[in-house]
Amino acid sequence: MREVTVFRGAAGEVAAGFVHPLIFFTAIPVLMLYGSGGLVAWVFSMIFRKAPTVAELFTFLLFFGLYTATLGRFAVSSSRGATEEGMFSDKVQSGETRAFVLRFTVATLMWAAPLFGLFRLLARSAGSVSLDDDPAPSSAKTTDSFIPGEQNLTPVDDALGALGMMTSVASIVSVVYALTVIVMVVMPLLTCIVATRAESFPDIFKLEAWLEPLTERRQDFLALCCTLFGAIGVAYVIYLAPAMLVIAASFRASTTFGVMVMGFMSMLPLALSPILLGRLTGVFVYGGRVVDLDQMDQHSVTELSSDGFSRLAVPTQYGEPSALLRPDVPPAPPAPPKPTLEAMQGKAAGLTGDALTQAIQDAEAGLRQSPRDPYLGVELCLLLSKAGQTDRLIDAAAPAVANTLAHGLAPMAMAVMRSVWADRAKLKLDTAVLDNMGRVFLAQNGFVEAAWCLHAAGVVANDELRAQKGLLEAANRAAEAKQPKAAAQLYQFFLKKYPGSQFVSFVTSALEAEQRKCSK
């Protein structure tokens, strides 16, 4: 079975968007933010001219905060499926940028402080060995005459011995330096993933949050690294000729102006890297679901899911890639067709009595052999729903929803949820599954179902603010879709559930607006 995650399917589109000329429209607010920060830093340096260290520290902290805030804006919006949103995306709600900056800063200090200490130690170690650090004076070991039974060393021997000691120490230091450089490349990416994924501040201290990208999703993490550095490199190559023309014209105007433009052009892709890194990180967090390539149509360009990500072209008529390299290998036989949702619903509707009981037993037996098969899980839920076996349906629905979402089968996940909707509160679903299920319902304009899922995700995570925001997101989307009855219903539920919320004034105004629409 050949599998690909949604992230690997969408990362290429994110990288292509970064090198597209339209990225400069997205970059305008970012560059204006950096320019404002540079002006503030210059004013501060003028005030503290007699304390340059203070001015330098302030400048570093200022630009670290601006970079991190920009990174957070794009990461948070992209983690919700909005990979083309700009700096002022409405997907990022009030306070989320500050929370991201706090998580990212603390998570960075967790590894940067020990790394800085290691650098200091290496610097001292590298400078502690010299040619003069001979353990004993050379005069004590040399003599003008040969004495049998004793080793007579010349000053040249002393120098070579000290040089060997220096070489061994330098080799160790070089290896440690190389490993440190690798850590400095990997850890910022891990930090961004952890800060984006964390639902609350304590989540950044969980070991599994740091290990998962390097273990279970190591292929995705490798793809993230290649896409990030590759896209930045391609941006330099694509815009090299236009940049050189601009730089040449700038030097003709003024040497000083030319130097400034050259510095700006050379740093521009790196200055815009938070756009690329934020979007890739958000897609990484959102797009961990697995799609089985062998289950796709042979010539299709198949939509991975209904979340708005790009499509992935996967021609599979030639079998495994090895068959492409060896023409003598016959094509692999096509995979048997998978049952459609309509076929499974029709099968369940047509069974009664003993036939229905036998079909349930067959589906359960198949799941015992293949517990992660999404089709068997959906079939079992539909059969149990037809049989009216509610308790067994609740037990079967939770893994079925998780598996269908993991395989990108959004319509089947919706069908399972709706089959158990009356008893949805009894489902044992984790936060990630509930959140993804809510996004699926949002994409299909199922705003009431989406509101319940997103609200439940916050309740399960014991995060009241997240629960409120999930409920509000569904209500706002219903209002945007011109469904005032659904929006008003959700706003009313919010006011009843959270009368002391900080969003009460906003919700009250929104409810009045939707009620006016309903009365027309």
Side-chain angles (χ1 to χ4, degrees):
M1 182 176 67
R2 296 178 296 138
E3 295 179 338
V4 63
T5 59
V6 175
F7 166 72
R8 274 175 270 169
E13 289 297 322
V14 173
F18 180 74
V19 299
H20 195 278
L22 291 178
I23 191 64
F24 290 106
F25 291 100
T26 306
I28 290 174
V30 178
L31 296 177
M32 292 178 63
L33 182 65
Y34 288 163
S36 302
L39 180 61
V40 172
W42 178 79
V43 172
F44 195 87
S45 64
M46 291 295 100
I47 296 174
F48 289 89
R49 280 179 294 181
K50 296 183 179 180
T53 304
V54 175
E56 292 171 1
L57 179 61
F58 174 80
T59 302
F60 171 78
L61 294 177
L62 175 63
F63 277 94
F64 178 84
L66 294 178
Y67 186 95
T68 306
T70 305
L71 181 64
R73 298 288 300 185
F74 287 97
V76 173
S77 61
S78 182
S79 68
R80 292 167 182 168
T83 58
E84 297 182 356
E85 295 289 329
M87 184 74 171
F88 305 106
S89 170
D90 57 0
K91 301 292 183 182
V92 185
Q93 300 183 15
S94 176
E96 289 186 311
T97 303
R98 293 192 300 272
F100 178 90
V101 171
L102 177 61
R103 293 194 299 267
F104 187 89
T105 302
V106 175
T108 300
L109 289 175
M110 289 169 57
W111 60 266
L115 191 65
F116 177 76
L118 179 61
F119 262 120
R120 295 290 300 272
L121 180 62
L122 290 176
R124 293 180 181 179
S125 299
S128 62
V129 179
S130 65
L131 288 174
D132 296 332
D133 291 337
D134 197 4
S138 60
S139 59
K141 296 187 294 180
T142 58
T143 180
D144 294 336
S145 60
F146 177 78
I147 302 178
E150 292 188 12
Q151 183 178 7
N152 294 270
L153 301 177
T154 66
V156 175
D157 296 325
D158 292 341
L160 291 176
L163 184 60
M165 183 184 302
M166 288 181 62
T167 303
S168 61
V169 173
S171 299
I172 296 174
V173 172
S174 299
V175 170
V176 176
Y177 266 124
L179 294 176
T180 304
V181 170
I182 295 175
V183 170
M184 291 180 65
V185 172
V186 171
M187 290 307 296
L189 304 184
L190 278 179
T191 304
C192 192
I193 292 172
V194 171
T196 304
R197 174 179 292 169
E199 300 294 344
S200 60
F201 183 72
D203 288 348
I204 66 175
F205 301 102
K206 295 179 179 179
L207 182 61
E208 58 269 21
W210 295 85
L211 293 181
E212 191 212 8
L214 301 177
T215 54
E216 298 178 10
R217 299 189 61 190
R218 58 186 179 276
Q219 295 298 329
D220 280 354
F221 187 76
L222 179 61
L224 186 150
C225 295
C226 295
T227 306
L228 175 65
F229 297 115
I232 293 176
V234 169
Y236 274 108
V237 173
I238 290 177
Y239 296 105
L240 177 61
M244 294 300 294
L245 292 176
V246 173
I247 292 172
S250 302
F251 270 103
R252 290 180 65 87
S254 167
T255 302
T256 303
F257 182 63
V259 171
M260 294 174 59
V261 171
M262 182 172 64
F264 174 78
M265 288 293 184
S266 62
M267 294 300 296
L268 184 59
L270 293 179
L272 301 183
S273 62
I275 300 176
L276 176 62
L277 178 57
R279 287 177 172 175
L280 285 176
T281 303
V283 176
F284 185 95
V285 171
Y286 186 81
R289 300 187 304 282
V290 176
V291 176
D292 183 358
L293 298 185
D294 291 329
Q295 294 171 1
M296 293 183 178
D297 183 75
Q298 291 182 351
H299 297 277
S300 64
V301 178
T302 306
E303 179 130 5
L304 294 177
S305 70
S306 58
D307 52 24
F309 280 135
S310 308
R311 292 187 173 104
L312 176 65
V314 189
T316 60
Q317 68 270 30
Y318 299 109
E320 295 298 324
S322 58
L324 295 173
L325 303 178
R326 296 176 55 192
D328 57 310
V329 177
K338 299 296 182 180
T340 64
L341 176 60
E342 292 75 14
M344 288 188 286
Q345 289 173 332
K347 176 182 177 180
L351 294 176
T352 58
D354 293 340
L356 179 58
T357 302
Q358 184 60 46
I360 292 174
Q361 292 175 355
D362 293 342
E364 289 176 333
L367 276 175
R368 282 193 291 269
Q369 294 181 353
S370 304
R372 297 183 64 83
D373 189 318
Y375 300 94
L376 286 174
V378 172
E379 181 179 353
L380 177 60
C381 289
L382 295 176
L383 293 171
L384 291 173
S385 178
K386 174 64 182 300
Q389 300 184 23
T390 304
D391 292 338
R392 296 175 65 185
L393 173 60
I394 292 171
D395 293 335
V401 170
N403 287 335
T404 50
L405 287 176
H407 286 78
L409 303 173
M412 293 189 180
M414 293 172 63
V416 173
M417 282 294 296
R418 284 170 173 161
S419 71
V420 73
W421 192 251
D423 299 287
R424 60 190 179 277
K426 299 179 182 178
L427 289 176
K428 297 180 180 179
L429 298 173
D430 62 28
T431 301
V433 172
L434 285 167
D435 188 78
N436 286 337
M437 194 69 249
R439 306 296 167 189
V440 168
F441 277 121
L442 279 180
Q444 299 299 322
N445 291 342
F447 300 112
V448 175
E449 295 98 332
W452 184 87
C453 293
L454 296 175
H455 179 263
V459 173
V460 171
N462 197 26
D463 187 343
E464 183 175 302
L465 181 59
R466 175 178 178 175
Q468 295 181 28
K469 290 181 177 180
L471 188 56
L472 278 181
E473 181 178 0
N476 294 338
R477 291 285 292 274
E480 293 171 3
K482 298 181 179 180
Q483 295 192 17
K485 291 183 179 180
Q489 177 185 349
L490 294 176
Y491 286 135
Q492 287 173 340
F493 176 79
F494 184 95
L495 293 175
K496 180 180 178 181
K497 183 72 175 179
Y498 302 106
S501 171
Q502 59 181 321
F503 304 114
V504 165
S505 59
F506 165 78
V507 174
T508 302
S509 301
L511 175 59
E512 293 173 354
E514 297 306 313
Q515 287 175 335
R516 286 194 296 270
K517 295 178 184 177
C518 292
S519 61
K520 291 181 180 179

